[in-house]
Amino acid sequence: MLIHKMKRVQGEITVPGDKSISHRAVMLGALADGITHINGFLRGADCLSTIDCFRKMGVRIDDNGDSLTVHGNGLHGLRAPKVTLYTGNSGTTTRLLCGILAGQPFDAEITGDASICKRPMGRVTKPLSLMGADIENEYCPLIIHGTKLHGIDYSMTVASAQVKTAIILAGLYAEGETVIHEIEKSRDHTELMLGAMGADIAVDGLTVRVGKTDRLAPQDVTVPGDISSAAFFIVLGAIMPDSEITIKNVGINPTRTGIIDVMKAMGADISVFNERTEGGEPTADMAVRTSSLHGTEIGGALIPRLIDELPVIAAAAVFANGKTVIRDAQELKIKETNRIRAVVDEFKKAGVDITETDDGMIINGGRTIHGAEFSTYGDHRMAMSLAILAQLAEGGSTLDDASCVDVSYPGFFDDFYGLEK
Ligand code: SPQ
């Protein structure tokens, strides 16, 4: 795909629903006693994989166009799937399903696409096995022999919401209390949703406690726009000349807003307004204007708050004066692709002064770059980040495969080019 270069961008957009919240709304709705209506659900390929897996376990899910209706079977109402559960490209579906399936009275097999089959599942299967789970393999296909579980006191070794959530979900079925200690605070959508549904769950700083739960009360969910999708427009609006973009209805859960903190630290002109709470999640509108950016340092507790935004933040750093250092981001190596290697290799093609490090990258920004023939590695976030990088490159650029944006943002290029003025 040829990337069209825009002169300036102006206007208002609404990004699709939050991917993490959409997954959780379907999963927890399926386990609730009764009906859950989900508004603003993300119809991206990953969330459609989640729907498909639960339908295969006997859960009725109706797509009404503007909303989704999940007819929950209750915590003990899932049925043994007759076929392998296929999770596509979705790490969230794969890992969270492990937590749910570990305590069921049936066996199930899970697998996904080529990228999923390379992503480590041991980070989830190991703590689950401490709870008594019986799971074959550390890479997909996983064979889960459902069994009785017991609570554990577990100190996490990685900052990961997927690992935390898998243990929490298994904890709903486990005898006794399950206690999880996080290294850094990761996204807490599961805890918020389960709390609202009456689960036995309590959060104290970095510690989450879950007790065996008999019943989840259905709660209608309004999914806010995904800040990980808004991130592309936050960076675009800041780097393009004579530009201003308003992004409506974006989730601003503090476990997700690292992108705003970092872009502001780099000098971006961003305002966040109309702050409100929708469906238990903080939500707001935001506006971003052409900005003069400078380099920054990103690491530590900030990383889980912006992990998925690092490729596009790297693009912002290319157009910022001075040096940007990203550290403590080794988790990027096990995403849809190795996002450290992919960013470094692709940005180098455009002449960016960028160096790969063990846990991140160093970018010397503010220099002229040129267009290139970019590879997306089938990674949605790489495709969208490269489309933004190419905007200020001299000459044309192409993407080898842009269709992967459908994983989290179907219609991305329509919204993107719709802002051209
Ligand atoms: O679902 P998947 O494929 O893992 O998606 C990604 C993404 O870029 O969309 C990561 F590749 O987001 C993860 C995120 O990185 C979604 C997620 C969640 O919903 O719980 C948590 C993060 O992963 P992790 O491993 O840090 O918990």
Side-chain angles (χ1 to χ4, degrees):
M1 186 184 105
L2 189 67
I3 301 174
H4 167 71
K5 290 202 320 187
M6 301 180 279
K7 282 205 179 65
R8 72 182 67 82
V9 285
Q10 279 168 9
E12 189 177 291
I13 56 158
T14 306
V15 294
D18 188 280
K19 178 158 79 69
S20 297
I21 297 175
S22 294
H23 282 303
R24 286 158 172 81
V26 169
M27 293 184 180
L28 297 182
L31 299 178
D33 270 356
I35 289 182
T36 298
H37 298 287
I38 308 174
N39 288 304
F41 178 79
L42 168 64
R43 282 180 180 70
D46 274 13
C47 299
L48 297 179
S49 294
T50 292
I51 291 183
D52 184 55
C53 290
F54 280 87
R55 281 186 175 147
K56 290 197 167 103
M57 290 190 285
V59 180
R60 179 172 155 202
I61 302 171
D62 301 329
D63 193 338
N64 319 311
D66 55 347
S67 73
L68 213 64
T69 306
V70 182
H71 300 255
N73 287 6
L75 275 162
H76 301 283
L78 294 180
R79 289 209 291 271
K82 293 194 179 80
V83 292
T84 300
L85 299 173
Y86 184 71
T87 59
N89 191 243
S90 176
T92 308
T93 312
T94 312
R95 296 199 176 108
L96 271 51
L97 266 179
C98 290
I100 293 172
L101 292 173
Q104 300 298 325
F106 55 77
D107 295 354
E109 180 170 326
I110 313 181
T111 199
D113 68 7
S115 154
I116 275 296
C117 290
K118 285 196 219 126
R119 294 177 68 181
M121 297 298 152
R123 53 181 41 215
V124 167
T125 60
K126 280 185 186 140
L128 292 178
S129 69
L130 296 175
M131 300 176 79
D134 180 1
I135 304 179
E136 289 180 46
N137 304 332
E138 288 186 9
Y139 289 85
C140 282
L142 302 174
I143 298 159
I144 304 174
H145 303 284
T147 187
K148 297 235 178 300
L149 304 177
H150 53 81
I152 50 169
D153 190 305
Y154 186 71
S155 294
M156 300 210 5
T157 55
V158 285
S160 161
Q162 292 177 356
V163 176
K164 172 180 64 174
T165 301
I167 304 170
I168 291 175
L169 294 171
L172 297 174
Y173 293 91
E175 286 303 328
E177 193 178 50
T178 299
V179 184
I180 306 157
H181 307 280
E182 289 198 82
I183 304 181
E184 306 282 9
K185 183 88 175 163
S186 64
R187 66 194 70 189
D188 62 357
H189 309 299
T190 310
E191 296 90 307
L192 291 176
M193 217 179 271
L194 277 175
M197 297 172 84
D200 180 8
I201 184 163
V203 181
D204 181 11
L206 293 176
T207 301
V208 184
R209 289 172 198 279
V210 198
K212 188 170 183 192
T213 299
D214 296 327
R215 179 178 185 270
L216 294 178
Q219 287 287 314
D220 287 351
V221 179
T222 299
V223 182
D226 198 329
I227 191 163
S228 297
S229 296
F232 301 104
F233 297 102
I234 293 173
V235 172
L236 184 72
I239 64 168
M240 295 289 283
D242 189 20
S243 294
E244 174 162 1
I245 305 174
T246 300
I247 317 167
K248 306 276 280 184
N249 195 41
V250 184
I252 53 160
N253 180 316
T255 61
R256 300 285 298 281
T257 47
I259 170 90
I260 294 177
D261 297 348
V262 162
M263 289 300 290
K264 279 188 174 166
M266 293 174 81
D269 180 356
I270 303 175
S271 44
V272 176
F273 50 97
N274 285 341
E275 289 190 37
R276 59 214 183 252
T277 300
E278 287 206 19
E281 287 279 351
T283 305
D285 302 331
M286 49 189 74
V288 55
R289 294 159 215 93
T290 308
S291 311
S292 168
L293 300 180
H294 50 80
T296 190
E297 302 217 348
I298 307 169
L302 201 48
I303 294 295
R305 297 180 55 232
L306 48 62
I307 187 75
D308 296 336
E309 290 67 77
L310 284 169
V312 76
I313 289 173
V318 171
F319 306 111
N321 286 316
K323 183 155 112 176
T324 294
V325 181
I326 300 174
R327 60 169 71 93
D328 304 323
Q330 54 277 6
E331 280 290 302
L332 284 181
K333 294 181 183 171
I334 55 154
K335 299 297 181 187
E336 282 80 333
T337 188
N338 177 339
R339 287 181 179 160
I340 296 180
R341 177 73 45 82
V343 165
V344 170
D345 287 354
E346 296 312 303
F347 283 30
K348 270 189 179 159
K349 286 185 187 167
V352 175
D353 180 349
I354 183 167
T355 310
E356 178 177 347
T357 63
D358 257 5
D359 61 352
M361 59 193 86
I362 300 169
I363 298 164
N364 286 304
R367 300 160 191 217
T368 306
I369 64 161
H370 53 79
E373 291 180 8
F374 292 119
S375 301
T376 64
Y377 307 85
D379 180 338
H380 53 131
R381 303 212 188 275
M382 284 301 299
M384 294 183 270
S385 302
L386 290 166
I388 285 164
L389 182 81
Q391 290 303 311
L392 293 184
E394 282 183 357
S397 298
T398 55
L399 293 181
D400 65 340
D401 166 23
S403 65
C404 53
V405 302
D406 289 353
V407 159
S408 63
Y409 199 153
F412 169 76
F413 286 103
D414 293 339
D415 286 357
F416 188 59
Y417 293 131
L419 288 167
E420 180 168 24
K421 282 282 152 11

